[in-house]
Amino acid sequence: AQTVTQSQPEMSVQEAETVTLSCTYDTSESDYYLFWYKQPPSRQMILVIRQEAYKQQNATENRFSVNFQKAAKSFSLKISDSQLGDAAMYFCASPPGGSQGNLIFGKGTKLSVKP
Amino acid sequence: KAGVTQTPRYLIKTRGQQVTLSCSPISGHRSVSWYQQTPGQGLQFLFEYFSETQRNKGNFPGRFSGRQFSNSRSEMNVSTLELGDSALYLCASSVNFWRAENTEAFFGQGTRLTVV
């Protein structure tokens, strides 16, 4: 079964600093997308960034960027200039592949931002 | 544009009862997916509905069922509730059925179900 692994249950960063959240995945697909979602205390999952596996260029969305290493099946999220509002659970997700759509999520990383 | 609306936000039920949760997708979205979130198992996919048809189903027992109406609103039903069904149930809507290259899923705030 396809898996998504986030090895850091909790992370902490100082406001304005940079933090990197790790994610590894396992897929037999050659063409796929990877996602990072943010879940604040309000519980609503919000898409942070999406990476297309066939694109070598790492995706970037304002202060959020990814380091995508396809061969290593690694997909880390870098948050620059961390803000208090970035404090949340962060989930890495990938589709299971084949005809089974939708998303498989990692266990999540709880990010705290210190003022 | 209104987001994904889930009702109710909180629910307390007794073991053995059944429960129905509702999800209204974003206007124009035809796909609704349901996920269960628990501290132990994390987020797990339940099923996806598109155009009133179930397209995908996760690995959950038959006590979990769903349906979608012609206006794309979806309901999820859990019969014979067990303590382990206590969870946050999230639904996500997207324009089309799930294909990663053309889909961004928008999530609701979830329904917190507690089974006592």
Side-chain angles (χ1 to χ4, degrees), chain A residues 33 35 37 39 42-45 47 50 91 95 99-103 105 107, chain B residues 9-10 33 35 37 40-41 43 45 48 56 98 101 103-105 107 109-110:
Chain A
Y33 281 58
F35 305 84
Y37 278 89
Q39 187 179 38
S42 67
R43 308 181 320 201
Q44 188 160 14
M45 299 284 282
L47 179 64
R50 172 168 62 180
F91 294 92
S99 61
Q100 295 300 309
N102 300 95
L103 295 168
F105 287 85
K107 295 290 188 184
Chain B
R9 292 287 306 277
Y10 301 91
S33 299
Y35 294 84
Q37 185 176 22
Q41 298 298 317
L43 279 147
F45 169 67
E48 178 193 13
N56 285 304
W98 176 265
E101 66 269 20
T103 300
E104 177 175 348
F107 284 80
Q109 289 186 285

Side-chain angles (χ1 to χ4, degrees), chain A residues 10-62:
Chain A
E10 295 189 29
M11 292 281 286
S12 182
V13 64
Q14 205 71 33
E15 194 175 7
E17 296 290 305
T18 296
V19 64
T20 299
L21 309 183
S22 302
C23 174
T24 58
Y25 61 94
D26 177 26
T27 180
S28 57
E29 296 294 310
S30 58
D31 186 15
Y32 50 91
Y33 281 58
L34 297 165
F35 305 84
W36 277 99
Y37 278 89
K38 168 185 177 181
Q39 187 179 38
S42 67
R43 308 181 320 201
Q44 188 160 14
M45 299 284 282
I46 301 164
L47 179 64
V48 174
I49 198 165
R50 172 168 62 180
Q51 173 75 42
E52 302 171 46
Y54 66 88
K55 287 188 176 179
Q56 294 194 358
Q57 186 174 6
N58 290 325
T60 299
E61 287 287 341
N62 300 313

Side-chain angles (χ1 to χ4, degrees), chain B residues 48-76:
Chain B
E48 178 193 13
Y49 285 87
F50 177 79
S51 291
E52 302 177 65
T53 301
Q54 187 181 88
R55 282 191 55 86
N56 285 304
K57 190 177 189 301
N59 188 25
F60 277 82
R63 299 184 298 106
F64 291 82
S65 63
R67 60 177 174 169
Q68 188 179 34
F69 302 94
S70 58
N71 62 358
S72 295
R73 187 178 71 87
S74 177
E75 287 183 347
M76 189 192 92

